[in-house]
Amino acid sequence: MGKNGNGRLAWADLLRCAALFAVVLLHVSGARLADMPVDSGAFQVLNVYDGLTHWCVPVFVMLSGAFLLDPKHSLPLPKLLFRHILRIFTALAVWGAVYAVANHLEQGGAWTWPGVREALWQALRGHTHYHLWFLYMILGLYLVTPVLRAFVRGAGRGDFHWFFLLVFVFTFLLPTLLRLRPSQTASLWIGNLNLHLVLGYVGYYVLGYYLKQNTLSRAAEFALYLLGALGAAVTVGGTALLSRQRGELVQVFYNYDSPNVALMSVAVFVLFRYVLGVSEERSRRERLSKAAQVSFGIYLVHDLFLMLLRRVGIDALSFAPALAVPVLAAGIFLCSFAVAWVLSKIPLVGRYLT
């Protein structure tokens, strides 16, 4: 798959849009999942939608790393600070304030200056709306990007493979096993090793660059698809099984740092990288590119529409969940795109809000 007229990779734009729609699906389905009896049909339907979309956040991180870590793309420190970090910080401040006021009003607060001021103060203290956690995380990755760029510039394949092995064992596998079966000894060993370099989302960030830069063999590609399918089955089936055993929703396999979600995320990234194409028609690629360029804004805006629907009593259980989730998600996605596109046209500040 080639590039768009503006030099953007079409497969990456398509993946970014797909990941964004998956985020909306996840939030629509997950909003009522914990309220459902674990043996109900509604729980099973919502679990399928929720579980099969958890690749969205890791893929967003991988896409960021795929481009920002590329040594062939110039990224001097002033550009990183004033173009990327400032953009995230500005969005966090503005949208943190917007959601603080929206939450204040949704919870019955009066539209008074003291009430609004208190909501804004809470946002400034870091008590921001739940989905804005992503901005803190990506801001942290941007801060260490110069160091990671130096690593990928000098690393050979063997260095990458060792790094990914440490990430898989200490970030994905062991923490998930310890959530399922706690062990003080194992936890103590892991804590004493202090392998913070491979923890958090840095593995996804570096992995995105690696998968974009290196060509996989057909055998490796096929193996990743099989592992991704296995990860999807564990995410959905394991969540259903554990939840039935404990009588309530258990989200161990929903964590973005679980090995099953990691495998599913890698498979989706590779699938879009090698298989899923975009029509060569220039107008279609340009429309896709425009949607991808405001994808950050869509992410920031979409929960306002979820709040609005909740306010009028509409959610994934308003009608058959199998139909309600995709229909509501599509409506929210389109409305969010419209708002994000308008905001992006505001002179000077538009790009910082979307």
Side-chain angles (χ1 to χ4, degrees), residues 88 183 218 236 238 250 288:
I88 298 297
S183 167
R218 297 299 292 177
V236 175
V250 179
L288 177 66

Side-chain angles (χ1 to χ4, degrees), residues 271-337:
L271 180 67
F272 278 78
R273 171 77 169 82
Y274 289 96
V275 178
L276 297 183
V278 178
S279 169
E280 292 298 326
E281 184 182 342
R282 180 168 181 170
S283 62
R284 292 186 180 181
R285 290 194 173 207
E286 289 179 349
R287 286 197 295 269
L288 177 66
S289 176
K290 290 177 182 178
Q293 288 179 55
V294 296
S295 59
F296 184 50
I298 297 173
Y299 178 85
L300 294 170
V301 168
H302 83 275
D303 215 64
L304 288 175
F305 288 99
L306 275 170
M307 296 170 69
L308 179 61
L309 289 177
R310 188 163 57 240
R311 182 74 173 177
V312 297
I314 299 176
D315 57 35
L317 301 179
S318 295
F319 47 102
L323 182 61
V325 173
V327 167
L328 293 177
I332 291 170
F333 183 90
L334 292 174
C335 292
S336 300
F337 169 75

Side-chain angles (χ1 to χ4, degrees), residues 16-18 31 36 57 74-75 96 149 183 198 263 275 320 324 332 353:
R16 188 171 282 107
C17 292
M36 296 295 98
V57 167
S74 176
L75 188 64
R149 281 171 62 90
S183 167
V198 299
L263 292 174
V275 178
I332 291 170
L353 301 178

Side-chain angles (χ1 to χ4, degrees), residues 139-266:
L139 184 61
L141 288 175
Y142 285 177
L143 289 172
V144 297
T145 289
V147 178
L148 294 177
R149 281 171 62 90
F151 166 67
V152 302
R153 185 166 54 246
R157 280 210 173 194
D159 301 316
F160 278 112
H161 295 167
W162 179 248
F163 174 79
F164 294 138
L165 176 62
L166 292 177
V167 168
F168 186 79
V169 171
F170 289 97
T171 303
F172 300 138
L173 183 61
L174 290 180
T176 299
L177 292 177
L178 289 173
R179 294 184 188 111
L180 294 170
R181 188 179 293 276
S183 167
Q184 288 187 335
T185 300
S187 297
L188 184 61
W189 264 94
I190 294 172
N192 287 340
L193 287 174
N194 281 311
L195 289 174
H196 297 293
L197 178 64
V198 299
L199 300 182
Y201 289 81
V202 68
Y204 285 128
Y205 199 55
V206 176
L207 184 58
Y209 165 79
Y210 180 85
L211 292 175
K212 174 176 174 285
Q213 293 299 117
N214 295 281
T215 301
L216 300 176
S217 68
R218 297 299 292 177
E221 181 187 347
F222 185 69
L224 288 175
Y225 295 148
L226 290 179
L227 290 172
L230 176 62
V234 170
T235 305
V236 175
T239 299
L241 179 62
L242 282 179
S243 298
R244 281 198 298 270
Q245 290 177 349
R246 303 185 187 181
E248 61 181 3
L249 175 63
V250 179
Q251 303 190 59
V252 171
F253 294 117
Y254 275 2
N255 290 328
Y256 297 126
D257 63 353
S258 62
N260 49 287
V261 169
L263 292 174
M264 185 166 51
S265 304
V266 172

